[in-house]
Amino acid sequence: MALVAINASDASDLWAQAWQLLAQGGSQRQNHTKGDSVEMLHVGASIQDPRGRWVLSRHPPINPAFALAEVIWILAGRDDVQFLTPWNRRYADYVGPAQRAFGAYGPRLRHFGGVDQLESAYLALLAKPNSRQVVLNLWRPSTDLPLDDGRPRADDIPCSVMSLLKIADGRLHWFQVMRSNDLVLGLPYNIIQWTTIQEILAGWLGVEMGEYAHHADSLHVYNRDQGAYDSRIYEPARNTDDLRLSYSSFQPVLGELEAAVERIAAAQASSVIADTVSGFTGPEAYLNWVRVIASERSRRLGFDAESWASQVSNPMLRMALEAWLRYHGGLNE
């Protein structure tokens, strides 16, 4: 079976092309547990501008606050479901009833068998930028391969299995391998996760971002979602945030982001949300993340979410947030 290739300018373009591919082709795959789907095998995609990571072409729109909370959760090496449920109440439905997500990427990246793979990748590429041996492994055969009778060992088996990193021409290139990829609920967030980590690691290394490539061995849409989602024409926007910091500068920012998400998630008063945002000392690019988190918490509490959205200085991120708020009845025009 031939590789299907998608060459996209940004994530919105990638998603729109992938939606058209599955609408026009693909094969039916039966799944008695999760439901039947339309599937296309061996789909390889590349994004020329990985900073254009916010999918604006999907309708209903993506949830930016959940996407950012999940990135912070991964970078912090966490697997507690409670950190994410304030931003996505259905998250536990996807990973099972346990309080910790079995397939969480964070622990596998930050302390897999006692190895911090992100830090090791950084040190290896810093010492030898032309190395071809830097691989981030997310797959653990002893726990992730199915049982002998074919049943999964857990409700939450990781979909991302490997990241391949290369520096070429002073830029960090990233190749992400997915064993399985839900076009509707997975792909938009996966792109945000891995291109964000790509940009952060590029900052640690003091290099530019290169191309982002994404291989989905099974790209699919569940039949139940086909009528509920669609691809829409979107207005292009620029991502003006530069997330690159040195390794030592990034560490306190990550800790502050983690604490801010937890404080805002627990907030019951608008003053607590405002104090958390005003007290954040990280760079503007990361302050925008906190503003998005504050907007979503405010929306859920019935406070003014739109004022926080208006303060997001990154046009692409603000557009993604405004689409989400508009879908939920805000930003009446």
Side-chain angles (χ1 to χ4, degrees):
M1 187 172 293
L3 176 73
V4 179
I6 299 174
N7 295 309
S9 57
D10 57 20
S12 296
D13 182 27
L14 189 162
W15 198 88
Q17 289 192 53
W19 180 265
Q20 283 299 115
L21 272 176
L22 285 171
Q24 296 170 0
S27 304
Q28 281 286 334
R29 178 182 284 269
Q30 292 185 336
N31 187 319
H32 299 299
T33 303
K34 294 187 176 182
D36 297 347
S37 63
V38 175
E39 176 187 66
M40 190 167 286
L41 298 179
H42 315 321
V43 178
S46 63
I47 300 177
Q48 296 173 13
D49 178 16
R51 282 198 179 98
R53 62 179 58 97
W54 294 96
V55 173
L56 305 174
S57 54
R58 197 195 82 168
H59 185 81
I62 65 170
N63 178 348
F66 170 66
L68 291 171
E70 192 171 30
V71 168
I72 295 165
W73 186 68
I74 292 170
L75 286 166
R78 299 178 66 149
D79 62 2
D80 53 321
V81 174
Q82 181 56 40
F83 188 84
L84 295 181
T85 49
W87 318 107
N88 184 345
R89 294 189 182 97
R90 296 185 61 195
Y91 185 77
D93 296 342
Y94 304 115
V95 300
Q99 295 182 351
R100 299 193 175 277
F102 173 81
Y105 300 146
R108 296 173 185 240
L109 277 177
R110 303 312 307 259
H111 38 87
F112 198 159
V115 177
D116 185 335
Q117 295 191 78
L118 281 186
E119 184 177 273
S120 295
Y122 155 62
L123 293 173
L125 288 171
L126 191 67
K128 190 176 181 182
N130 64 344
S131 175
R132 296 172 179 162
Q133 298 178 0
V134 176
V135 177
L136 307 180
N137 181 36
L138 300 165
W139 185 260
R140 187 168 50 210
S142 61
T143 61
D144 298 339
L145 281 171
L147 296 167
D148 291 347
D149 62 5
R151 289 181 295 119
R153 294 177 185 269
D155 294 326
D156 176 34
I157 300 297
C159 293
S160 288
V161 297
M162 182 182 298
S163 308
L164 306 174
L165 285 59
K166 304 280 190 306
I167 293 179
D169 302 321
R171 300 189 300 158
L172 177 63
H173 300 269
W174 195 285
F175 188 98
Q176 191 65 32
V177 181
M178 311 286 298
R179 65 164 183 86
S180 180
N181 220 181
D182 182 329
L183 174 61
V184 168
L185 299 179
L187 180 63
Y189 297 97
N190 297 139
I191 293 171
I192 292 166
Q193 292 159 10
W194 299 117
T195 62
T196 298
I197 295 173
Q198 176 187 9
E199 185 171 358
I200 288 169
L201 195 56
W204 294 1
L205 293 163
V207 299
E208 298 291 330
M209 286 186 76
E211 188 177 71
Y212 175 80
H214 188 99
H215 180 93
D217 208 44
S218 164
L219 184 67
H220 53 267
V221 177
Y222 287 101
N223 293 353
R224 63 175 177 269
D225 292 329
Q226 287 182 318
Y229 291 83
D230 199 0
S231 175
R232 294 197 174 179
I233 296 174
Y234 62 97
E235 180 183 346
R238 289 181 59 240
N239 183 345
T240 56
D241 284 339
D242 189 337
L243 302 175
R244 293 175 300 162
L245 296 171
S246 69
Y247 177 83
S248 59
S249 297
F250 177 76
Q251 305 313 313
V253 172
L254 176 58
E256 197 174 357
L257 285 168
E258 198 177 353
V261 170
E262 293 184 310
R263 280 197 298 270
I264 293 173
Q268 296 297 324
S270 59
S271 60
V272 175
I273 298 173
D275 288 347
T276 303
V277 178
S278 64
F280 185 78
T281 64
E284 176 74 8
Y286 292 100
L287 177 57
N288 279 330
W289 291 18
V290 181
R291 289 165 175 155
V292 171
I293 296 290
S295 177
E296 177 60 7
R297 182 60 177 164
S298 296
R299 182 190 73 80
R300 292 178 182 236
L301 291 173
F303 301 149
D304 181 8
E306 297 174 23
S307 63
W308 291 117
S310 68
Q311 294 181 42
V312 175
S313 59
N314 176 349
M316 179 175 277
L317 180 54
R318 184 173 64 248
M319 189 173 290
L321 176 58
E322 289 176 347
W324 174 255
L325 294 178
R326 192 175 295 113
Y327 176 71
H328 287 279
L331 294 168
N332 295 317
E333 296 179 353

